[in-house]
Amino acid sequence: MVPVPDKEIQKDNNDHLVQSSDPEHPANLIPTLCRRFYKWGWVTGTGGGTSIRRDDHIFIAPSGVQKELMKSENIFVLQFPTPKYPPEERKYIRKPLELKPSACTPLFLAAFERGAGCCIHTHSQWAVLVTLLVEREKGPDACFEISNIEQIKGIPRGKGKGMLGFHDTLKIPIIENTAFEEDLTGSLEKAMDQYPDTYAVLVRRHGIYVWGDNVAKAKTQCESLDYLFQLAVEMHKLGLPWVK
Ligand SMILES: CSC[C@@H](O)[C@@H](O)C(=O)COP(=O)(O)O
Ligand SMILES: [Zn+2]
């Protein structure tokens, strides 16, 4: 697709890119998913979010808004690929007036650059608690590990490698939080490189980024991980080990 020149964006703002009666259209799916995620405590108090790639378009939510009340008309559209930095060089082809794009944008872009079709960021308390329970391990090797739990089979072994088995050990890298969301991008990318098979990165005292080849995979992987984190917290309370 030929990038739309700036003047034309100003003229009609490409509103048609977010207008569709199809509930599966990314501009409709992002608000629907965020309403659901809000109920699960993943995106409360404006935290967290979701982004979807469809062909060469990235659909992004606005920053600092109640994510469960978002509408399709509030969605930004980026031409993909696009520079992650500096933000003013990103190729927005639709910008809702008086809104800023999510601060998670460069992190979502890092997942799309690695082939994801959807990326979910949650502030789930289970994810945060797990990062606190492995707080002693800092640095590039910090990771959450769990094995011998049926739900591990909901997580891929790596791209094109099938799903993890019951006896496999699931490993999710943990990066340290930063004062600003955007500043997590470098360490997120480092963790992605260090763990090329991972589909998720935990952020200490903050939450998690989970991505998938498509929306259904990102959502079910995020659900499986959240289940495992909750279970891990409860196991810890009972003095049960996460890895056999
Ligand atoms: C409760 S504020 C949370 C934000 O700082 C950030 O962590 C976040 O997840 C959402 O950023 P946003 O720019 O609103 O999409
Ligand atoms: Zn966040």
Side-chain angles (χ1 to χ4, degrees):
M1 182 177 158
V2 180
V4 182
D6 268 355
K7 257 192 207 152
E8 234 165 283
I9 295 168
Q10 296 301 325
K11 210 168 77 189
D12 74 352
N13 203 19
N14 284 321
D15 288 346
H16 68 279
L17 293 177
V18 298
Q19 291 165 344
S20 169
S21 55
D22 178 4
E24 299 298 311
H25 187 285
N28 295 329
L29 254 188
I30 291 175
T32 305
L33 288 171
C34 283
R35 274 197 293 280
R36 212 161 282 176
F37 296 165
Y38 177 80
K39 289 191 187 139
W40 301 340
W42 288 5
V43 298
T44 53
T46 79
T50 299
S51 180
I52 297 173
R53 179 173 69 82
R54 186 194 253 189
D55 303 323
D56 54 2
H57 289 164
I58 306 287
F59 295 80
I60 298 249
S63 182
V65 302
Q66 298 175 79
K67 300 285 175 8
E68 76 284 9
L69 300 182
M70 196 194 326
K71 296 181 183 134
S72 55
E73 69 220 45
N74 305 137
I75 302 290
F76 289 76
V77 184
L78 267 167
Q79 179 78 43
F80 186 76
T82 191
K84 279 196 295 293
Y85 287 108
E88 53 279 11
E89 277 186 22
R90 288 179 206 145
K91 296 183 245 164
Y92 287 97
I93 52 171
R94 184 187 189 258
K95 284 183 180 183
L97 286 175
E98 291 165 24
L99 289 172
K100 283 199 308 184
S102 170
C104 312
T105 299
L107 294 113
F108 291 145
L109 288 172
F112 295 132
E113 284 169 3
R114 282 157 178 80
C118 173
C119 186
I120 300 169
H121 171 44
T122 90
H123 283 195
S124 160
Q125 292 191 6
W126 302 117
V128 174
L129 278 168
V130 153
T131 70
L132 294 173
L133 290 175
V134 284
E135 185 136 45
R136 270 155 295 145
E137 271 181 67
K138 292 229 176 194
D141 295 325
C143 77
F144 164 75
E145 292 186 29
I146 194 161
S147 71
N148 294 90
I149 301 290
E150 182 69 6
Q151 198 74 30
I152 289 171
K153 288 154 74 174
I155 307 297
R157 220 183 263 280
K159 197 149 181 95
K161 296 182 183 173
M163 307 304 266
L164 287 171
F166 177 71
H167 296 290
D168 288 327
T169 299
L170 166 72
K171 291 184 184 189
I172 307 292
I174 303 175
I175 59 172
E176 301 306 319
N177 199 28
T178 51
F180 302 101
E181 192 94 18
E182 296 93 333
D183 298 339
L184 289 168
T185 315
S187 43
L188 180 96
E189 289 188 300
K190 238 185 232 165
M192 287 168 154
D193 293 344
Q194 196 180 340
Y195 294 82
D197 288 332
T198 195
Y199 277 91
V201 173
L202 282 157
V203 185
R204 184 116 47 203
R205 295 175 174 265
H206 181 154
I208 190 164
Y209 279 84
V210 182
W211 57 95
D213 302 342
N214 54 43
V215 175
K217 288 185 183 178
K219 176 173 170 286
T220 54
Q221 285 158 205
C222 203
E223 287 166 5
S224 290
L225 288 173
D226 208 56
Y227 169 102
L228 290 164
F229 297 150
Q230 178 170 9
L231 187 75
V233 171
E234 297 301 332
M235 286 169 79
H236 181 84
K237 286 195 219 163
L238 296 168
L240 301 169
W242 295 340
V243 181
K244 268 199 165 183

